[in-house]
Amino acid sequence: MLMTLIQKEMMHHILSVRFVALLLMCLLLVPLTLHINYGNYRQNLVDYQEAIKRANIEEVEVDPMSSLDPEEEVSKLFLKPTPLSVFANGLESVLPSYLGMTRNGITQGPDALIASPLSYLLGHLDFLFVIGTVFSLLALLFTFDAVAGEREAGTLRITLANALPRDLFLWSKLIGGYLVFVVPFLVSFIFGLLLIVWQGFPLGESDIFPRVLSLTLVSLLYIAVFFAIGMVISIYLDSAKTALIVAFTVWVFAVLITPRLGFLAAKLIAPTRTPQSVYMEKAAVQEDFNAVLKEERDKIQLEEEEVTDEMGRRMTIVIPGKGKNREKIAEHMGPLEEEYRLKFQNHSDKLDRDYKRQTQRQEQIGETLSRMTPTSSLIYLATNLTQTGKGKRSDYLQAGDHYWGRLDTDVFSKISDHIPSGRYKPPIKVTQPAALEATTLDETFRRSVVDVLLLCCFAVVSTTVAFLKFFRTDI
């Protein structure tokens, strides 16, 4: 009996205008977005390779005996684009293209939005946007009148009068509509994959295929969540028109408003400083320390001497550089410079810790508030799977911090601006950073376990509410 009801429901949807709209959306949006974004990835990869080649050619050697501008970039850590950005662009467009290493700290290169700001003014179109925004709305449109429409037409009373169990009726609505929905989606997705594989996308790699498969399963789960939500709306309301208005309102709040509202509230609850203000404060502290050291060095280099002028009067004058050789100046300035270098390092570390603590607290509050809807969980999970989300940003910035720490030990700490040492010191070669290591799939799921559980919870709770309400409804 269940199979007969499912077939009936499938035919009802296939013969409707909604199915035609779904089919056109799938065949147009999914392959097109994959094709366009793969072309963007290939261009980004060419730019990255050219930047790496240029950086290797321009590999520098730092002379410890010469003064090095505290804001001069001696090396760069470049962000390598990931092929999975074809599915979800995530944070890749807003992350800095490179991290520059200076004596004052880390500077950030321009992001992808600098090169083409107008193209991003209306938003970025990718596979994640199609699933999270377009297909969630279509899922609600498939289910808003599943029960309310039959109740309004009077067919629900006739159907249940034939001793049909209510659970079978509701399961046929959910399963039949869901199958009609996901089959065109899967067909168009496979076609899009074949299209980009034909262009060179490395789908067969050991780290790529499992992530694409996981992303597909997550997308199917997300669609199931909105099918269940649409069924709840259809059961609670008697009128199909009212159900349509409520379904659209729920979609606006769940997909468009609440995910953004969470981070807006977090900015009010826990405001933070900007990265540029932190960097400027470091530069100001460094300049203050340099001024103190320069003043101390000038005092050492000056000597007083009594002389007699033409009128026979005796007076004291200051003679620079007399009686003090370079070794004595270096002997006096060495401990002083090391003291101020440690003071600057401690102050810089404190600024970084305070800034990171503030931003992490604000971000955690925003994440928690935004996870009230399944759309946020989908975005966090999908971007982690495609290595374009919070995990990629964290790994990128941590790699920059570690690389700067190594340069500070090997290069920056050996440069002196205030000790005129006469002994020769060989130039220090600046080693280029290693490529950023990719996160394993197991580590990705460990980072995203909350979002996986939340999506499952949304699906189970919505389905349970639908069944409980339908069982208690007086037909």
Side-chain angles (χ1 to χ4, degrees):
M1 181 181 294
L2 179 61
M3 292 302 299
T4 303
L5 292 173
I6 291 175
Q7 291 175 3
K8 173 180 173 296
E9 189 67 22
M10 292 176 64
M11 290 302 300
H12 169 72
H13 284 294
I14 290 174
L15 297 177
S16 66
V17 178
R18 285 175 290 191
F19 178 75
V20 177
L22 171 66
L23 190 62
L24 292 177
M25 288 284 188
C26 290
L27 294 177
L28 177 64
L29 289 180
V30 176
L32 181 64
T33 55
L34 293 179
H35 170 70
I36 293 175
N37 284 291
Y38 184 65
N40 293 336
Y41 160 73
R42 292 171 64 180
Q43 182 60 50
N44 293 336
L45 185 62
V46 170
D47 296 340
Y48 166 79
Q49 292 171 344
E50 288 296 324
I52 291 293
K53 184 186 300 183
R54 186 166 58 251
N56 290 333
I57 293 175
E58 297 173 354
E59 197 169 62
V60 298
E61 291 184 342
V62 176
D63 185 1
M65 300 182 66
S66 63
S67 178
L68 178 66
D69 187 349
E71 297 187 7
E72 180 182 350
E73 296 176 348
V74 300
S75 183
K76 297 176 181 178
L77 173 65
F78 290 94
L79 177 65
K80 183 178 181 180
T82 172
L84 290 168
S85 61
V86 171
F87 302 96
N89 189 263
L91 296 175
E92 191 154 289
S93 294
V94 297
L95 285 176
S97 57
Y98 69 85
L99 300 176
M101 305 297 142
T102 72
R103 293 175 64 186
N104 278 347
I106 299 177
T107 60
Q108 297 184 354
D111 53 50
L113 299 182
I114 299 298
S116 54
L118 291 181
S119 64
Y120 285 86
L121 189 61
L122 301 177
H124 189 80
L125 182 63
D126 56 12
F127 178 77
L128 177 58
F129 174 83
V130 173
I131 296 297
T133 304
V134 179
F135 282 5
S136 61
L137 178 60
L138 292 176
L140 291 178
L141 294 179
F142 258 66
T143 55
F144 78 93
D145 62 345
V147 177
E150 292 208 21
R151 182 189 289 115
E152 195 175 28
T155 58
L156 180 61
R157 184 186 298 271
I158 298 174
T159 301
L160 297 180
N162 295 322
L164 175 67
R166 293 193 179 192
D167 60 335
L168 293 184
F169 175 81
L170 202 56
W171 276 122
S172 66
K173 291 287 183 182
L174 283 170
I175 297 175
Y178 185 73
L179 289 177
V180 172
F181 194 97
V182 300
V183 169
F185 160 67
L186 291 176
V187 171
S188 63
F189 183 59
I190 293 173
F191 176 73
L193 284 179
L194 293 176
L195 179 63
I196 60 176
V197 167
W198 177 70
Q199 294 176 310
F201 180 74
L203 181 62
E205 292 187 4
S206 59
D207 190 49
I208 299 294
F209 180 76
R211 291 180 180 272
V212 174
L213 180 60
S214 301
L215 181 62
T216 306
L217 297 177
V218 169
S219 302
L220 294 177
L221 176 59
Y222 177 75
I223 293 172
V225 169
F226 275 87
F227 256 83
I229 293 174
M231 192 62 66
V232 171
I233 296 172
S234 182
I235 292 171
Y236 267 87
L237 299 173
D238 297 332
S239 170
K241 292 182 179 179
T242 305
L244 177 60
I245 296 173
V246 173
F248 184 74
T249 304
V250 169
W251 175 81
V252 169
F253 276 92
V255 177
L256 302 180
I257 296 180
T258 305
R260 295 162 176 82
L261 190 62
F263 283 94
L264 290 177
K267 290 181 179 180
L268 297 176
I269 297 172
T272 65
R273 303 177 61 180
T274 63
Q276 188 64 23
S277 67
V278 175
Y279 179 80
M280 294 301 294
E281 183 170 346
K282 288 182 183 180
V285 172
Q286 180 71 58
E287 290 178 2
D288 292 341
F289 286 166
N290 286 339
V292 173
L293 290 171
K294 184 177 183 301
E295 182 180 353
E296 187 67 25
R297 178 187 172 184
D298 291 342
K299 288 180 180 179
I300 298 172
Q301 288 182 316
L302 299 178
E303 276 196 352
E304 295 182 352
E305 182 175 306
E306 290 188 356
V307 296
T308 303
D309 61 7
E310 298 177 352
M311 304 293 297
R313 293 175 299 184
R314 298 190 62 82
M315 57 185 301
T316 303
I317 63 173
V318 177
I319 303 176
K322 183 177 179 181
K324 295 285 186 179
N325 56 34
R326 301 171 70 92
E327 284 72 17
K328 289 183 179 180
I329 296 176
E331 182 180 352
H332 181 84
M333 291 295 298
L336 192 61
E337 184 172 280
E338 180 65 19
E339 176 188 351
Y340 276 91
R341 191 184 72 83
L342 292 176
K343 286 183 179 180
F344 172 76
Q345 188 63 50
N346 293 335
H347 187 78
S348 177
D349 292 342
K350 183 179 182 300
L351 288 175
D352 290 335
R353 287 194 302 269
D354 292 342
Y355 174 71
K356 288 180 180 179
R357 183 169 60 251
Q358 292 174 0
T359 54
Q360 287 175 358
R361 180 170 179 267
Q362 184 187 87
E363 196 169 72
Q364 287 173 357
I365 294 174
E367 277 187 290
T368 302
L369 295 177
S370 67
R371 282 192 171 104
M372 295 171 59
T373 66
T375 302
S376 298
S377 295
L378 170 73
I379 292 173
Y380 298 145
L381 180 54
T383 51
N384 281 337
L385 283 172
T386 57
Q387 299 177 323
T388 59
K390 178 182 176 181
K392 177 64 173 291
R393 183 199 61 185
S394 177
D395 294 341
Y396 180 43
L397 298 180
Q398 285 182 7
D401 291 338
H402 293 159
Y403 180 50
W404 186 88
R406 191 168 75 247
L407 287 179
D408 184 53
T409 302
D410 298 339
V411 180
F412 299 146
S413 62
K414 299 179 181 179
I415 298 174
S416 174
D417 294 323
H418 309 282
I419 304 177
S421 176
R423 291 175 296 180
Y424 173 75
K425 294 182 180 180
I428 305 172
K429 188 176 182 180
V430 178
T431 58
Q432 294 299 313
L436 189 64
E437 295 183 1
T439 307
T440 63
L441 186 59
D442 292 339
E443 178 63 24
T444 299
F445 275 113
R446 279 195 293 271
R447 291 178 175 180
S448 307
V449 63
V450 174
D451 299 305
V452 174
L453 293 177
L454 280 175
L455 282 177
C456 294
C457 182
F458 279 119
V460 172
V461 170
S462 300
T463 305
T464 303
V465 170
F467 274 88
L468 291 177
K469 177 61 178 177
F470 189 62
F471 287 155
R472 300 180 61 181
T473 299
D474 185 11
I475 304 301

